[in-house]
Amino acid sequence: TGVVRPEDGAEIKVGSRVSGKVEKLFVKVGDRVKKGDPIAVIEHEDLQAKVAEKEAALIEKREELNALLVQRPLEIERQVEVIEEDKAQLALAQTTYHRYLELLPEKLISQEDVDRQHKEALVFQSRLAAERKQLIYMKRKFVDDKRILKAKLKQLTAQYKLAKINLNYAFINAPIDGTIAKISTPEGETVAAQLSAPTFVWVINLGKLWVNTYVDE
């Protein structure tokens, strides 16, 4: 008399890492399977929806980053053009002011005109300083926004990959070549995997069995 036992690794207990109803069971007891053959499919509409949600968020964030990379440099370029215009206007105002100063002693122009021109030059000077500060702010914000969007994109990419991994858990395949020895959860029943990965199919490689016997002396 004796006991037939599988070698280590010859018996695999196949479980589910997701909860749900067994939508389709492709095997029955006694069937031979090869590694990678489909064994069962767990309901996965919620997992598919999660993948679609993460994919949509990922696409949206990519488009936002692409728009930023296109639009923000154009805005910075326009700001540079504004600064160049202000510099030209300031140079003209200062030149006119100095010309007025030369004409003032000859009484060819009034003090009021000189003061007005001086004030105009100061306005252009102040405007130029403000536009330069705005340019610095735009460049810094561009760098910060780009960094934040890339980090968010990386996070969403990881979430999307995780959602796809969870979806793949709903499709259960044979881990080894072997024979279906037992099925504990038939098609239509629900698998609960909240706390653990419940076993519902046993696969045994019949070529790796030991017979432990007692032989009379």
Side-chain angles (χ1 to χ4, degrees):
T1 60
V3 179
V4 178
R5 300 181 184 277
E7 294 181 7
D8 291 340
E11 180 183 28
I12 302 295
K13 299 176 181 180
V14 182
S16 172
R17 298 183 64 173
V18 295
S19 300
K21 183 178 67 176
V22 179
E23 287 188 345
K24 186 67 177 178
L25 191 62
F26 299 102
V27 295
K28 60 182 182 297
V29 174
D31 286 351
R32 294 188 59 83
V33 294
K34 292 186 176 296
K35 184 178 180 179
D37 287 350
I39 291 180
V41 176
I42 310 298
E43 61 179 350
H44 50 274
E45 288 82 1
D46 56 332
L47 299 177
Q48 283 182 326
K50 183 65 69 174
V51 170
E53 176 187 353
K54 298 301 181 182
E55 184 179 15
L58 182 60
I59 292 174
E60 180 182 1
K61 196 58 65 176
R62 281 176 180 167
E63 292 178 351
E64 185 177 347
L65 177 60
N66 291 334
L68 177 72
L69 295 176
V70 172
Q71 295 176 2
R72 194 62 61 82
L74 294 177
E75 294 174 358
I76 292 175
E77 184 179 348
R78 285 195 295 269
Q79 184 65 19
V80 172
E81 293 174 354
V82 170
I83 290 176
E84 292 300 321
E85 291 177 1
D86 287 347
K87 287 169 64 177
Q89 291 178 337
L90 175 60
L92 178 61
Q94 288 177 337
T95 300
T96 304
Y97 170 65
H98 289 103
R99 187 180 299 118
Y100 280 10
L101 287 177
E102 294 174 356
L103 297 175
L104 182 61
E106 301 178 8
K107 305 298 183 178
L108 297 176
I109 196 168
S110 66
Q111 182 65 45
E112 182 180 351
D113 292 333
V114 175
D115 294 341
R116 186 184 305 111
Q117 190 61 36
H118 185 219
K119 181 178 180 181
E120 183 176 349
L122 292 177
V123 168
F124 282 122
Q125 187 174 7
S126 176
R127 182 186 302 175
L128 178 61
E131 296 295 350
R132 282 174 172 168
K133 289 182 180 179
Q134 179 67 15
L135 178 62
I136 294 173
Y137 168 77
M138 291 174 65
K139 288 182 177 180
R140 289 178 178 174
K141 191 172 188 304
F142 178 43
V143 173
D144 292 341
D145 290 348
K146 184 166 56 174
R147 175 178 52 81
I148 292 172
L149 283 177
K150 285 184 176 181
K152 187 64 176 178
L153 190 60
K154 186 176 181 180
Q155 179 184 7
L156 290 175
T157 300
Q159 292 177 356
Y160 173 61
K161 289 181 179 179
L162 179 61
K164 290 181 67 176
I165 290 172
N166 290 333
L167 175 61
N168 288 334
Y169 288 153
F171 300 87
I172 301 172
N173 301 319
I176 60 171
D177 297 345
T179 302
I180 303 299
K182 181 181 177 181
I183 298 174
S184 63
T185 307
E187 187 172 305
E189 287 193 8
T190 299
V191 176
Q194 285 85 357
L195 302 179
S196 62
T199 300
F200 65 94
V201 175
W202 280 255
V203 181
I204 297 179
N205 185 345
L206 298 181
K208 295 182 178 181
L209 299 179
W210 287 95
V211 180
N212 297 331
T213 61
Y214 296 93
V215 181
D216 293 339
E217 183 180 353

